[in-house]
Amino acid sequence: MARHRNVRGYNYDDDFDDDDMYSHSVEDDYGISPATAAQFIYSKRGRHQSFSEPLEEEEDEYDDDDKSRAPSTALSPIDQARLFSCLDQMREVLGESVSEQIMTDAVLQCGFDAAKALDQIFKQESNTKKSGTQEATASERPGKGKARDVPSADTHIVPKIAKLTVSGNKQTMGFAVPSASTEVNGQSSITACTKGQTTDDAMEEADNSALSPASSNTSQVSEDLNSTPSQGKSSGKSKQKINIKEELEKRQGGKQLLNLVVIGHVDAGKSTLMGHLLYLLGHVNKRTMHKYEQESKKAGKASFAYAWVLDETGEERQRGVTMDVGMTKFETKRKVITLMDAPGHRDFIPNMITGAAQADVAILVVDASRGEFEAGFEAGGQTREHALLVRSLGVTQLAVVVNKMDQVNWQEERFREVTSKLGHFLKQAGFKDSDVSYIPTSGLSGENLAKKSEVNELKSWYKGPCLIDQIDLFKAPQRSIDKPFRLCASDVFKDQGSGFCVTGKIEAGYVQTGDRLQVMPPNETCSVKGITLHDEAVDWATAGDHVSLTLTGVDIIKINVGCVFCSLSEPIRACTRFRARVLLFNFDVPVTQGFPVIIHYQTISEPATIRKLISVLHKSTGEVVKKKPKCLTKGMNAIIELQTQRPVALELYKDFKELGRFMLRYSGSSIAAGVVTEIKE
Ligand code: GDP
C-alpha cells in the first residue's frame, strides 16, 4: 500500500516561466507533511459519528410508502439501517420490479443478507413462472423477466464510476458502475468519465510544440501475442494505428472532461453542497433521497441528509476497508465532470493525496457565517492548507463557494468581506485573480446551485453565474496525447492468465493492444496484451486515462511501482544523478551539501542526498545571485544536484512538465518543490 504514492510536485507552470510564484510569500506558512495532509481532505465519514444535531422534524412525503416498511419500524435503528442498506443493494438489481414488501420480507428471512435475499426472490420468481403461463416469456414480461438485466432507470443512484481501492498490498482500480447506468448510458458515457489528471500547465500553455509530434507509437511493432487477449474484444493481432484524436473525440461525445475536487474547512458545508447539487441535477432519485432523510433522521443528524448522498461511497467499501477514491460523474452543458470524493483517513494519506492530485480544478467551500469563516481561515483552520495543497498539486483554477449565505441574510457586505480576505491570500498562494471566481450559495436550501437564485436579497446584488454554470466555465485541460507514451506504474500484480498487470495513469501519448513498450528502469521491453479501462477491455487508451495493462514478455520480478512504461522509439531516461531548480518552503533547518531527502515523484518515494549546491537564483529574475552556496535557507530559489540510491526514470521539465516535477521531503515535512533541469547519469 505504502508503495503507492503520487505526490505531484509543486506547481511550477507559471512560476517556471515567469517566476510569479517565487516572488510570492508562499513560504510564510507552507509546509505540508503527511501528518498535516490528513486534514486536507475532508472526511464526511468520521463526521457522522461526531455530530449530534437535534432531530429535525421533516415532513415525510412518502407516508404511503411506509406501509411497506411496516416490519422495519419494529427493528432497532441498526437493523433498520441494515435493512435499508440491503434494500438498496437489491434495488440496484431488481429495480422497481419487485415490491418493497417482498424485498423486506426476504431480507428479514435471510438475516440481512442481500445476496441470499435476492436468490430467494429469484427462486420464488422462477417457481411462479414455471407454474404460471408457459408462454409468458421474459420478453413479454419486461417488468419481471428482464428485471435483472434492465433495472429501472429509477435505480440509478449516484453513478459512482470509479474506485481506487487499496487492499492489502494490491491496489486495483475497481469501477462500480451500477448496471442501470451501464445499460442506459452505454460504454461511451462510462469511458468518458475517466479523465485523469492532465496538468494545468498543459492546459495553460497549450505549448506542446516543444516536442515533435509523437512518432513514438508509429514505429511500434505489432508483434504478437500468441493468444487472443483474454480481455475481450482486443484482437492484439496485426493492428492498425488509430487516429487517436478522432477516437478520443468520439469517446468524449463532444464534451470535455474535467476532474473536480471539493475542499474546505470541516463543516463549511462541502458535502451538503455537492449532495444537494447532485440531487438537483437528478442524480439521486426521490426514493434514495428519502432513504437518506430517514437514515440521517434516525442517526439524529437530519440536516446531513444531502451530505449522505456522497457518503454512499463509503458504504461500498467492502474489500479490505482500506481507502478508495470514489468518483461521481455528473454533466454540465459542455463538460463531463468527475467529482473526486476522497475520504480522508490518517492511515492512507498517500492515497488521499493521489486522489486530490488527480484534480484539474477545485471548489473551495467557505462558511459565510460570522465567526465560522474566520475560524476556518485562521491558522489551524483548513481553508488555507487545502488551498495550498491543491495549488501545490497543480490546480490553478478555483471556484470559491461562499456558502451558508442564508445565515447572514444574503448580505453583500459580508460576501465582500469574505472574498477580499480570501482573494488576498489566494493570490499569495499562487492563484491568479482571473482563475478564481466567487459564488454565494446556500447548500442547504439549494440557492444558486443548479440555477440562478430567486432570492431577492441575493438577486439584487449578485449577477454572476450559479455554481453549475461556474463549473461549466472552467477551462478543460489539454491532454498530452501527441507526446511519446508514458505511464508510471502505481501497482504491479499477477492476475489470472498469462502475463501480469500494471496499473497507472497515462501521462502522455496513447497505447493500443499489441504495442511493444519499454520499461525504465530496468530497461526491458514487453508487449501489451490487454488494456482495461473502468473494468472494460478496450483497444486503446490515452493520456489522462487510468488503466490496467496486461503485459507479457518481461518478468514481473523486474517490474516495480515507479517503473515508467514508455514508447520504444522515444524512451524515458533513467538516472541516479540529476540537477534541478528548487523552491525551498518554510523550513528552519539549513540545507547543506549531503543533506538527506526523500524524492516524491509520480508514484515513487526514493531516498536521495543533495550532492551539490550549484547556485542561488534571484526569486524573480532567475539570475544567479550566488555560486556554490554553503547552505540554502527557506524561501530560496536554487539549482541543486541530487543523487538517488537507485535509478529513477525522469524527464526534463521543459520537455514533459508532468514527468519533470517532484517534491522533496525531510522528516515528514515537504521542504521543497523542484523541476528537473538536467539529467546527469
Ligand atoms: P462539510 O464538513 O464541509 O462536508 O459540511 P456538511 O455538508 O457536513 O455540513 C455541515 C453542517 O452545515 C450540516 O449541519 C449542514 O446541514 C449545515 N449546512 C451546510 N450547508 C448549509 C447552508 O448553506 N446553510 C445552513 N444554514 N447550513 C448549512
Side-chain angles (χ1 to χ4, degrees):
M1 177 283 300
R3 300 175 305 158
H4 176 77
R5 285 206 85 100
N6 186 3
V7 182
R8 306 297 307 240
Y10 207 83
N11 188 296
Y12 269 72
D13 319 332
D14 323 318
D15 333 336
F16 201 62
D17 296 327
D18 59 23
D19 259 341
D20 191 28
M21 169 79 78
Y22 289 10
S23 59
H24 289 315
S25 56
V26 172
E27 67 271 22
D28 288 348
D29 47 8
Y30 189 81
I32 295 163
S33 68
T36 54
Q39 38 177 324
F40 285 171
I41 310 287
Y42 62 97
S43 167
K44 297 173 293 297
R45 197 128 257 273
R47 311 235 347 278
H48 283 233
Q49 272 91 56
S50 59
F51 284 89
S52 57
E53 290 250 324
L55 250 171
E56 252 179 44
E57 284 314 319
E58 289 176 23
E59 280 229 335
D60 188 347
E61 50 178 312
Y62 286 81
D63 276 339
D64 295 344
D65 233 56
D66 276 355
K67 277 185 223 113
S68 63
R69 290 182 188 258
S72 67
T73 50
L75 297 171
S76 70
I78 291 180
D79 283 348
Q80 286 213 8
R82 289 166 75 194
L83 170 65
F84 291 150
S85 169
C86 287
L87 290 179
D88 217 41
Q89 286 175 44
M90 292 167 72
R91 270 191 219 108
E92 287 196 23
V93 178
L94 297 168
E96 303 296 321
S97 60
V98 176
S99 81
E100 192 156 275
Q101 184 63 59
I102 293 177
M103 290 198 281
T104 305
D105 290 347
V107 171
L108 295 178
Q109 279 162 21
C110 297
F112 300 99
D113 184 333
K116 276 192 194 156
L118 275 171
D119 280 347
Q120 182 171 315
I121 289 175
F122 287 131
K123 257 188 222 148
Q124 281 167 4
E125 269 199 24
S126 61
N127 288 344
T128 323
K129 261 193 231 167
K130 269 184 214 154
S131 57
T133 94
Q134 291 193 339
E135 299 88 56
T137 60
S139 59
E140 287 165 325
R141 300 163 58 209
K144 289 207 168 191
K146 290 172 84 178
R148 194 168 191 148
D149 299 321
V150 190
S152 145
D154 212 27
T155 63
H156 182 114
I157 307 177
V158 184
K160 281 191 293 290
I161 56 159
K163 275 193 209 168
L164 182 65
T165 305
V166 182
S167 221
N169 57 5
K170 180 188 165 188
Q171 179 191 309
T172 54
M173 304 269 311
F175 287 82
V177 184
S179 49
S181 64
T182 317
E183 295 288 335
V184 173
N185 299 333
Q187 189 191 340
S188 59
S189 79
I190 301 301
T191 48
C193 40
T194 39
K195 137 111 236 29
Q197 84 218 57
T198 313
T199 52
D200 49 307
D201 22 73
M203 166 178 64
E204 278 203 281
E205 223 179 89
D207 158 36
N208 295 341
S209 54
L211 278 190
S212 57
S215 47
S216 61
N217 292 332
T218 47
S219 63
Q220 287 164 7
V221 191
S222 309
E223 178 196 294
D224 211 302
L225 307 183
N226 13 11
S227 64
T228 305
S230 56
Q231 304 192 9
K233 54 188 174 177
S234 326
S235 76
K237 298 270 177 193
S238 64
K239 317 165 293 86
Q240 288 173 343
K241 282 288 151 192
I242 52 167
N243 181 330
I244 188 68
K245 284 192 174 154
E246 266 176 26
E247 293 294 326
L248 189 59
E249 188 62 32
K250 271 189 237 160
R251 193 179 82 180
Q252 290 185 178
K255 288 201 174 188
Q256 294 166 313
L257 306 175
L258 199 65
N259 289 321
L260 171 76
V261 70
V262 183
I263 55 171
H265 190 68
V266 70
D267 246 357
K270 300 174 291 290
S271 331
T272 304
L273 182 89
M274 296 317 289
H276 204 149
L277 181 66
L278 288 170
Y279 175 67
L280 294 174
L281 293 176
H283 285 276
V284 190
N285 62 45
K286 285 196 167 179
R287 180 188 287 271
T288 309
M289 204 57 237
H290 173 67
K291 182 174 80 99
Y292 295 141
E293 279 164 11
Q294 293 294 310
E295 286 178 5
S296 56
K297 250 194 225 177
K298 298 256 154 55
K301 299 165 189 115
S303 72
F304 285 86
Y306 287 115
W308 283 30
V309 169
L310 285 174
D311 277 346
E312 180 76 3
T313 305
E315 285 178 17
E316 309 230 340
R317 283 182 224 158
Q318 285 163 348
R319 284 179 283 171
V321 191
T322 46
M323 181 259 171
D324 62 18
V325 179
M327 300 186 199
T328 305
K329 190 191 87 168
F330 65 92
E331 296 193 15
T332 63
K333 276 181 223 135
R334 289 166 301 173
K335 304 228 161 53
V336 175
I337 308 291
T338 305
L339 174 64
M340 318 286 296
D341 181 29
H345 187 290
R346 207 163 272 277
D347 294 347
F348 302 104
I349 292 158
N351 291 352
M352 243 168 44
I353 294 177
T354 300
Q358 291 171 11
D360 304 311
V361 296
I363 290 179
L364 170 63
V365 184
V366 295
D367 184 341
S369 324
R370 295 203 184 275
E372 294 302 325
F373 166 73
E374 286 72 14
F377 189 60
E378 275 150 20
Q382 289 157 311
T383 308
R384 289 169 187 250
E385 282 88 344
H386 284 199
L388 279 168
L389 176 68
V390 293
R391 183 67 184 88
S392 72
L393 292 169
V395 170
T396 54
Q397 299 179 78
L398 194 65
V400 179
V401 169
V402 183
N403 194 34
K404 305 198 189 179
M405 282 297 290
D406 56 307
Q407 295 282 64
V408 293
N409 300 324
W410 306 98
Q411 279 170 9
E412 179 178 10
E413 188 200 357
R414 177 61 177 163
F415 180 78
R416 301 272 164 243
E417 188 185 347
V418 167
T419 55
S420 80
K421 280 187 186 162
L422 269 172
H424 182 66
F425 161 73
L426 292 172
K427 200 168 176 182
Q428 283 195 326
F431 288 98
K432 285 185 190 164
D433 279 348
S434 56
D435 285 335
V436 181
S437 53
Y438 300 90
I439 309 125
T441 65
S442 168
L444 199 59
S445 68
E447 287 310 323
N448 228 15
L449 303 189
K451 63 179 172 62
K452 282 198 171 197
S453 174
E454 296 296 324
V455 172
N456 286 333
E457 293 95 317
L458 178 62
K459 260 194 340 192
S460 63
W461 58 267
Y462 181 75
K463 311 287 176 203
C466 63
L467 180 58
I468 194 79
D469 289 344
Q470 183 54 51
I471 294 171
D472 196 51
L473 286 171
F474 278 127
K475 286 171 270 174
Q478 283 184 0
R479 300 171 172 215
S480 306
I481 54 176
D482 286 338
K483 293 188 177 178
F485 181 73
R486 301 284 188 265
L487 176 145
C488 191
S490 60
D491 196 20
V492 182
F493 58 94
K494 186 88 185 83
D495 212 352
Q496 292 135 340
S498 60
F500 64 94
C501 296
V502 295
T503 56
K505 182 190 157 234
I506 302 178
E507 289 295 341
Y510 67 100
V511 65
Q512 283 183 258
T513 48
D515 279 352
R516 283 185 63 75
L517 299 175
Q518 188 150 349
V519 204
M520 296 291 284
N523 196 9
E524 297 272 341
T525 56
C526 59
S527 297
V528 179
K529 195 179 157 196
I531 305 170
T532 309
L533 176 67
H534 300 186
D535 272 356
E536 297 265 347
V538 291
D539 292 323
W540 60 270
T542 188
D545 291 340
H546 289 266
V547 291
S548 170
L549 301 182
T550 307
L551 302 167
T552 53
V554 65
D555 192 341
I556 187 172
I557 296 285
K558 294 180 179 161
I559 308 300
N560 292 307
V561 167
C563 286
V564 177
F565 290 79
C566 51
S567 74
L568 287 180
S569 58
E570 293 180 68
I572 193 168
R573 279 182 289 172
C575 68
T576 54
R577 203 147 65 80
F578 64 95
R579 290 194 177 180
R581 179 170 171 176
V582 293
L583 165 68
L584 265 80
F585 299 148
N586 185 23
F587 185 59
D588 290 331
V589 185
V591 174
T592 51
Q593 195 172 310
F595 198 85
V597 288
I598 305 281
I599 295 182
H600 291 269
Y601 166 76
Q602 290 286 317
T603 54
I604 56 162
S605 36
E606 187 69 22
T609 46
I610 296 179
R611 196 168 179 270
K612 280 184 192 166
L613 303 179
I614 312 288
S615 56
V616 176
L617 306 178
H618 189 275
K619 276 188 179 182
S620 315
T621 63
E623 282 167 19
V624 175
V625 291
K626 187 171 187 181
K627 284 189 178 167
K628 295 189 183 172
K630 287 264 178 305
C631 74
L632 301 175
T633 51
K634 65 181 173 188
M636 274 187 175
N637 206 328
I639 302 282
I640 60 169
E641 190 169 301
L642 286 148
Q643 173 94 50
T644 56
Q645 284 180 0
R646 294 176 300 176
V648 179
L650 291 168
E651 293 282 3
L652 298 183
Y653 179 78
K654 72 177 175 59
D655 296 336
F656 269 89
K657 287 187 176 179
E658 298 89 337
L659 294 164
R661 298 195 275 217
F662 60 88
M663 284 181 98
L664 293 182
R665 308 182 79 161
Y666 171 78
S667 185
S669 300
S670 298
I671 63 164
V675 296
V676 182
T677 54
E678 198 182 335
I679 291 175
K680 294 299 247 187
E681 288 283 321

